[in-house]
Amino acid sequence: MPPPANNPPRRGAKPKIERAALKLFVDEGVDAATTRQIANQAGVSEGALYRHYKGKDELALALFMETHNRLGEMLSEALSYPGSVEERIHRAVSSYCGLADEDWLLFSFHLVSLNRFLPHDTRREDDPLTRIETILAAMMSSGDIPKSDPALVTAMCLGVITQAGQNKIYNRLPGPFSAHVDAFTRAILAILFQK
């Protein structure tokens, strides 16, 4: 027997809760948003939120890590696929920007939450930063790019895109993020080939 019309199935509540939370987290911040606001915005009861998450902090961390891990996988795949350094960087930047354009709200939340949640992502073999550092270190060892500190180079390369993303969040960068792939790629290549 289907549930009554005023009581939607549980599986439909979770995506609504997540979207409402993202909007509130980006607009007001995780600390300012309440579970009641999230539930109201989602059109569900507070109890529905607690059926899926222990609270807003668990919800926020889950949303952050979902994007963080997906970015790591995408960047690792793009950089590991054969091709010239330029082709690999262009693929990685295109993947990153494509994910941003696919769901700008989720991507914005990831960017504005880096300082808050990155400390929860303990250094592991498959975390996004370690993946990129490992790939860049291998490119340095093979002579594809000049030798340098892989951690510093990774931070500088990611900074090109994350800083631009911050500016886009605050309406200072027009158009879709993917419109800037070529400029981001040139900037990252300049970092990689610096003397």
Side-chain angles (χ1 to χ4, degrees):
M1 171 181 259
N6 63 350
N7 189 10
R10 282 168 116 196
R11 72 181 191 287
K14 189 174 180 182
K16 290 178 189 174
I17 291 165
E18 291 174 346
R19 296 310 293 181
L22 284 171
K23 180 84 172 105
L24 286 166
F25 292 161
V26 170
D27 291 347
E28 299 182 21
V30 174
D31 292 331
T34 66
T35 54
R36 177 172 287 161
Q37 285 177 304
I38 295 167
N40 287 343
Q41 185 86 16
V44 300
S45 69
E46 241 180 307
L49 186 150
Y50 286 112
R51 279 195 289 276
H52 297 286
Y53 298 99
K54 291 178 184 171
K56 71 173 181 177
D57 291 330
E58 182 183 82
L59 169 57
L61 179 60
L63 291 168
F64 175 85
M65 291 305 296
E66 176 187 337
T67 304
H68 194 61
N69 290 331
R70 185 170 173 203
L71 279 170
E73 291 166 9
M74 290 173 63
L75 292 173
S76 182
E77 184 178 322
L79 289 168
S80 298
Y81 197 77
S84 68
V85 172
E86 292 82 2
E87 290 167 338
R88 293 160 75 184
I89 297 302
H90 193 272
R91 261 196 316 267
V93 171
S94 295
S95 295
Y96 194 98
C97 292
L99 180 62
D101 288 340
E102 176 185 309
D103 190 341
W104 183 252
L105 184 61
L106 184 61
F107 190 78
S108 297
F109 172 67
H110 181 262
L111 280 180
V112 300
S113 302
L114 283 169
N115 290 339
R116 181 185 184 107
F117 293 115
L118 212 49
H120 293 281
D121 188 23
T122 55
R123 189 174 179 94
R124 52 192 163 91
E125 193 174 300
D126 67 341
D127 77 79
L129 295 176
T130 302
R131 284 179 177 212
I132 296 170
E133 285 176 24
T134 301
I135 292 167
L136 291 180
M139 292 168 78
M140 290 173 190
S141 293
S142 67
D144 290 337
I145 58 176
K147 289 192 187 298
S148 188
D149 177 352
L152 177 62
V153 172
T154 297
M156 292 169 66
C157 291
L158 287 174
V160 167
I161 296 180
T162 58
Q163 187 58 53
Q166 291 279 349
N167 283 347
K168 182 164 175 52
I169 289 169
Y170 302 116
N171 298 313
R172 298 182 63 88
L173 189 67
F177 212 46
S178 296
H180 309 289
V181 166
D182 291 339
F184 295 153
T185 300
R186 286 191 302 273
I188 290 169
L189 289 171
I191 291 167
L192 293 177
F193 288 101
Q194 67 178 327
K195 299 287 184 191

